[in-house]
Amino acid sequence: MRALLVVNPAATTTSARTRDVLIHALASEMKLEVVTTEYRGHARDLGRQAAEGEDIELVVALGGDGTVNEVVNGLLHNGPELDRLPRLAVVPGGSTNVFARALGLPNDAVEATGALLDALRENRERTVGLGLAAGTPGTEDESVPSRWFTFCAGLGFDAGVIGRVEQQRERGKRSTHALYLRQVVRQFLDEPHRRHGTITLDRPGEDPVTDLVLSIICNTSPWTFLGNRPVYASPKASFDTGLDVLGLSRMSTASAARYATQLLTSSPARGPHGKHALSLHDLTDFTLHSKAPLPLQMDGDHLGLRTSVTFTGVRRALRVIV
């Protein structure tokens, strides 16, 4: 088997020595080409080259969720083609690794490599659905390129938190769960729309849902992890269905505290709920509009401000080694 290993040298939980061990282990089982990313978007370019070539059968992403997202967007640059595109494998190297853990992989890079090699020997793979987000036709964002996401997206509050975290990381701060929690508090205190939401959700054949303060789109469950604790924003979300949405129409201090507690104590059986909580399951097409520009994130990557985003849940988009 010819495989491409895409390595993010800035992956936060793997050392150069660990990466060397992983490379040798993989190279013992396949004809391996190793490329270390050198710039933002490099993993996407490598994934596209693999998809458009004819000799690569497997692309392995060694890094965090951002690296995986770039590789996926490269592989699917021309759309899903299950029978032709290389398969994807993931070795977690980031601080959270939501996609890899949602697939059932160990969070340790060495253990995950062992599991990957076992899966290849036993020819184990699964087909996963993905989310696709694009600028909405007829709006000022219609020229924004479409982008795939593997596990979640968000317009509004959670994207604002991620933007704040990225600013702190650019200043040299380490990506820790404490850093995220501090930015959640700061985003809440500075949130101008927490009492009167600006987001409207439109979907075919249904009345619009208006005045949402927060919107989280999930392609799988859990939504994220706090250390080893899974957090379930949309417990029914699955790689085998469309997209799920959690929306909140109010974020007063009391309601924010209640929903935060529900998130922290969420389970596969129950996520956030209540009078001001909206939970939608297995959506294929819908659009989020906002009266004011809001931050957008996908797979934990802050993508700037948007006023309208159209989402599509695409089933059977990619083959993944598990």
Side-chain angles (χ1 to χ4, degrees):
M1 175 185 293
R2 288 185 58 87
L4 170 67
L5 175 63
V6 179
V7 179
N8 178 2
T12 55
T13 58
T14 57
S15 64
R17 179 175 294 179
T18 300
R19 290 192 289 271
D20 286 342
V21 171
L22 303 182
I23 289 169
H24 285 299
L26 292 170
S28 69
E29 299 286 339
M30 62 192 75
K31 190 171 183 179
L32 188 68
E33 178 185 355
V34 181
V35 181
T36 299
T37 57
E38 298 177 353
Y39 54 86
R40 189 181 180 105
H42 194 182
R44 180 194 61 232
D45 295 342
L46 294 168
R48 180 177 179 180
Q49 291 168 17
E52 294 177 346
E54 297 181 354
D55 55 343
I56 298 296
E57 301 171 71
L58 173 69
V59 178
V60 184
L62 171 51
D65 289 309
T67 303
V68 174
N69 179 277
E70 285 196 13
V71 169
V72 167
N73 274 276
L75 287 172
L76 298 180
H77 178 79
N78 295 314
E81 293 183 62
L82 287 180
D83 295 334
R84 188 188 65 80
L85 290 176
R87 294 175 293 173
L88 172 70
V90 179
V91 177
S95 57
T96 310
N97 309 305
V98 178
F99 181 66
R101 295 165 82 174
L103 289 170
L105 292 172
N107 197 39
D108 177 80
V110 175
E111 291 183 15
T113 300
L116 166 60
L117 292 174
D118 288 343
L120 287 169
R121 295 186 193 109
E122 298 169 14
N123 198 30
R124 295 199 313 266
E125 65 176 58
R126 66 173 293 185
T127 303
V128 299
L130 298 172
L132 182 65
T136 306
T139 71
E140 61 186 59
D141 290 326
E142 66 178 342
S143 62
V144 176
S146 59
R147 178 162 172 160
W148 297 89
F149 59 95
T150 63
F151 64 91
C152 83
L155 181 69
F157 184 86
D158 72 313
V161 172
I162 287 172
R164 288 173 178 270
V165 170
E166 288 188 1
Q167 289 178 348
Q168 294 298 313
R169 294 186 65 180
E170 289 172 359
R171 296 170 184 168
K173 298 289 182 65
R174 292 183 63 249
S175 179
T176 63
H177 299 297
L179 175 63
Y180 273 90
L181 291 174
R182 287 197 300 271
Q183 302 315 311
V184 167
V185 173
R186 290 172 181 171
Q187 180 69 24
F188 175 76
L189 294 176
D190 293 341
E191 176 59 56
H193 308 296
R194 66 186 185 189
R195 291 187 180 275
H196 304 286
T198 65
I199 301 171
T200 295
L201 186 151
D202 282 324
R203 51 190 169 133
E206 301 286 347
D207 292 333
V209 180
T210 61
D211 302 326
L212 294 176
V213 178
L214 174 150
S215 55
I216 296 172
I217 301 92
C218 292
N219 185 49
T220 188
S221 188
W223 166 51
T224 190
F225 290 84
L226 286 176
N228 290 321
R229 174 186 291 181
V231 179
Y232 300 89
S234 297
K236 294 181 181 179
S238 166
F239 288 129
D240 299 319
T241 62
L243 301 174
D244 284 25
V245 177
L246 169 66
L248 299 181
S249 59
R250 187 173 182 181
M251 282 188 68
S252 64
T253 301
S255 61
R258 181 170 63 254
Y259 292 126
T261 300
Q262 290 178 356
L263 273 172
L264 292 173
T265 58
S266 59
S267 70
R270 195 172 201 189
H273 53 278
K275 179 180 179 181
H276 301 290
L278 169 76
S279 294
L280 300 174
H281 174 59
D282 195 13
L283 303 185
T284 300
D285 298 285
F286 62 95
T287 297
L288 296 177
H289 305 281
S290 175
K291 299 173 186 175
L294 294 177
L296 173 70
Q297 68 87 10
M298 289 187 219
D299 287 348
D301 188 11
H302 186 272
L303 300 177
L305 301 178
R306 301 285 191 274
T307 56
S308 187
V309 186
T310 295
F311 292 90
T312 305
V314 181
R315 290 175 172 81
R316 296 180 55 79
L318 197 63
R319 294 179 300 161
V320 182
I321 301 298
V322 292

